[in-house]
């Protein structure tokens, strides 16, 4: 009996062992599921890596960075050649003159092309952009810095006062407040000339008026006379009219001699012919170009060593029409200015068509004065002997 009793626990233990064998190991099952999850995640990561590799291979199989963006690269090269070779652009329809008037603004195409090159990941376009960057900086980079110097023996101001100026006396007072020794005005009407005379008389005891232009001075003037820079025989209809039918225009330029403590200074004041956008003729500059040639001829024949030319030239010094003047005279703004000195239109200046050009004297500084009731901004310069 004792042996039978001993056998009972053994049987019980055997049953318990069998039951334990039948119960699944949940912890082990959980570990197996986690292993399967990790395996799935690893498979997904491996798939993503393979997809990136395939995309990279396809990228390498496509056009390389030196072959992408050929149009952008070509546009950059054209821009880089256009700026230094602007004088070679045809002036048919005034195209060349139009480009030269707004030439500095062509630099705005550089960041646009750069953005396109980066978007296209075009190494060729980026390298091609070096040409317009270097060209623009060589032409206009000096204007980004203030090159003015203190001092000056004489300050001059030039202003197209606008024929429709509603307050000529107020404009005259603004100009006199600059303290300039010489004030040149252009586009004066007969009705407004009296107002300018009266408003400037106290500060400027000497003056000369020739047609629509005048010069007021704190120093004595002599040998004042008109210079013909506008004739009635230019323009689209000139060849269809008889000489006796051509209009007689009032003088738009003058020459005078200023008596300074350093000797005589010859001053020209000019308002060259306007430019127009013509439906059939494009950017029409005939009248302006004829006036530029006449003014160049007068300056070239001028015997006096010291010369200052003031006025509204209706064109920039980049314009080929002024090659004759700029080869003989220096622009005060380019030599001693700070910035581009844009003077027109006054509401949003985009071009410097109002010029101060000198010979035989040294520009010390050049700047733009605050706006008046004109559509032009006044320009000023200090010069020295």
């Amino acid at each position: 009996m004792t042996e039978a009793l001993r056998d009972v626990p053994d049987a019980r233990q055997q049953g318990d062992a069998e039951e334990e064998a039948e119960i699944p190991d949940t912890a082990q099952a959980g570990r197996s599921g986690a292993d399967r999850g990790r395996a799935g995640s690893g498979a997904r990561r491996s798939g993503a890596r393979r997809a990136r590799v395939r995309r990279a291979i396809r990228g390498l199989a496509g056009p390389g960075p030196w072959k992408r963006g050929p149009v952008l690269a070509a546009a950059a090269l054209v821009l880089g050649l256009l700026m230094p070779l602007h004088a070679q652009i045809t002036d048919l329809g005034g195209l060349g003159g139009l480009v030269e008037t707004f030439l500095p603004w062509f630099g705005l195409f550089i960041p646009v092309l750069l953005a396109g090159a980066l978007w296209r990941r075009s190494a060729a376009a980026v390298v091609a952009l070096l040409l317009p960057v270097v060209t623009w900086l060589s032409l206009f980079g000096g204007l980004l810095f203030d090159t003015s110097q203190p001092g000056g023996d004489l300050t001059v101001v030039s202003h197209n006062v606008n024929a429709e100026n509603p307050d000529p006396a107020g404009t005259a007072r603004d100009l006199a407040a600059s303290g300039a020794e010489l004030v040149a005005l252009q586009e004066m009407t007969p009705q407004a000339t009296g107002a300018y005379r009266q408003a400037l008389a106290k500060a400027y005891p000497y003056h000369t008026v020739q047609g629509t232009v005048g010069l007021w001075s704190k120093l004595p003037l002599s040998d004042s006379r008109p210079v013909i820079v506008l004739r009635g025989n230019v323009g689209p209809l000139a060849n269809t009219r008889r000489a006796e039918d051509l209009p007689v225009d009032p003088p738009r330029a003058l020459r005078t001699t200023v008596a300074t403590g350093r000797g005589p200074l010859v001053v020209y004041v000019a308002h060259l012919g306007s430019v127009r956008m013509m439906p059939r003729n494009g950017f029409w500059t005939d009248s302006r170009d004829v006036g530029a040639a006449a003014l160049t001829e007068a300056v070239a024949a001028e015997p006096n060593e010291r010369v200052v030319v003031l006025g509204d030239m209706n064109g920039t010094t980049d314009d080929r029409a002024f090659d004759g003047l700029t080869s003989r005279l220096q622009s005060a703004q380019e030599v001693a200015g700070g910035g581009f000195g844009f003077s027109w239109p006054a509401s949003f200046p985009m071009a410097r068509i109002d010029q101060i050009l000198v010979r035989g004297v040294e520009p010390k500084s050049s700047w733009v004065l605050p706006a008046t009731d004109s559509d032009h901004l006044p320009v000023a310069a200090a010069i020295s002997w």
Side-chain angles (χ1 to χ4, degrees), residues 19 77 80 144 172 197 286 378 385:
E19 289 178 2
L77 293 175
L144 299 177
R197 282 195 174 104
D286 291 8
W385 276 257

Side-chain angles (χ1 to χ4, degrees), residues 313-349:
M313 304 300 169
N314 274 309
T316 70
T317 53
D318 295 312
D319 197 306
R320 69 195 70 184
F322 300 103
D323 286 349
L325 275 178
T326 55
S327 65
R328 294 175 170 85
L329 304 168
Q330 290 181 304
S331 165
Q333 182 66 24
E334 293 177 7
V335 174
F340 291 91
F342 294 149
S343 62
W344 178 89
S347 57
F348 188 81

Side-chain angles (χ1 to χ4, degrees), residues 25-353:
D25 188 345
T26 56
Q28 184 178 357
R31 286 192 297 272
S32 300
D35 291 341
R36 286 194 297 272
R38 283 193 294 270
S41 177
R44 285 193 295 273
R45 286 195 296 270
S46 178
R49 282 195 296 269
R50 287 195 295 271
R52 287 194 295 269
V53 170
R54 285 196 295 269
R55 285 196 296 268
I57 293 174
R58 285 197 297 269
L60 292 174
W66 293 101
K67 294 183 179 179
R68 297 190 195 107
V71 175
L72 291 169
L77 293 175
V78 170
L79 178 62
L81 293 173
L82 179 147
M83 289 188 285
L85 300 177
H86 59 84
Q88 306 305 317
I89 299 174
T90 177
D91 208 27
L92 183 65
L95 178 61
L98 183 61
V99 168
E100 289 161 341
T101 298
F102 301 103
L103 194 61
W105 292 94
F106 278 76
L108 293 179
F109 288 109
I110 294 175
V112 174
L113 291 173
L114 178 60
L118 295 176
W119 180 69
R120 290 283 290 123
R121 291 180 293 175
S122 171
V126 171
V127 172
L129 275 169
L130 291 175
L131 178 60
V133 168
V134 171
T135 299
W136 192 92
L137 289 175
S138 66
L139 292 174
F140 307 111
L143 296 175
L144 299 177
F145 305 97
D146 188 353
T147 56
S148 63
Q149 304 175 45
D153 297 316
L154 198 69
T155 299
V156 299
V157 166
S158 179
H159 190 29
N160 179 321
V161 294
N162 188 3
E164 299 177 358
N165 191 316
D167 185 17
T171 296
R173 287 192 295 269
D174 290 342
L175 298 177
S178 68
E181 282 80 14
L182 301 177
V183 174
L185 304 184
Q186 307 94 47
E187 205 171 291
M188 296 186 299
T189 62
Q191 297 79 10
T193 299
Y196 291 117
R197 282 195 174 104
Q198 183 176 357
L200 294 171
K202 184 176 180 180
Y204 299 92
Y206 308 97
H207 78 277
T208 178
V209 173
Q210 304 289 336
T212 62
V213 298
L215 181 71
W216 275 258
S217 173
K218 294 181 178 181
L219 303 171
L221 303 177
S222 63
D223 195 19
S224 302
R225 59 179 183 267
V227 178
I228 304 302
V229 295
L230 181 68
R231 304 177 189 276
N233 60 343
V234 296
L237 300 178
N239 294 331
T240 67
R241 296 178 294 187
R242 298 176 302 172
E244 56 268 26
D245 295 331
L246 296 174
V248 178
D249 298 300
R252 288 170 60 119
L254 65 83
R255 176 208 180 275
T256 190
T257 302
V258 181
T260 76
R262 299 292 189 89
L265 174 71
V266 170
V267 176
Y268 287 84
V269 180
H271 181 198
L272 301 186
S274 299
V275 298
R276 296 283 186 269
M277 290 299 298
M278 309 287 285
R280 294 185 178 181
N281 298 76
F283 190 61
W284 181 74
T285 62
D286 291 8
S287 177
R288 191 276 313 273
D289 294 349
V290 168
L295 184 59
T296 300
E297 183 179 353
V299 171
E302 177 57 55
N304 195 287
E305 177 186 357
R306 300 187 181 102
V307 176
V308 174
V309 176
L310 309 167
D312 173 10
M313 304 300 169
N314 274 309
T316 70
T317 53
D318 295 312
D319 197 306
R320 69 195 70 184
F322 300 103
D323 286 349
L325 275 178
T326 55
S327 65
R328 294 175 170 85
L329 304 168
Q330 290 181 304
S331 165
Q333 182 66 24
E334 293 177 7
V335 174
F340 291 91
F342 294 149
S343 62
W344 178 89
S347 57
F348 188 81
M350 297 183 65
R352 185 181 177 89
I353 62 175

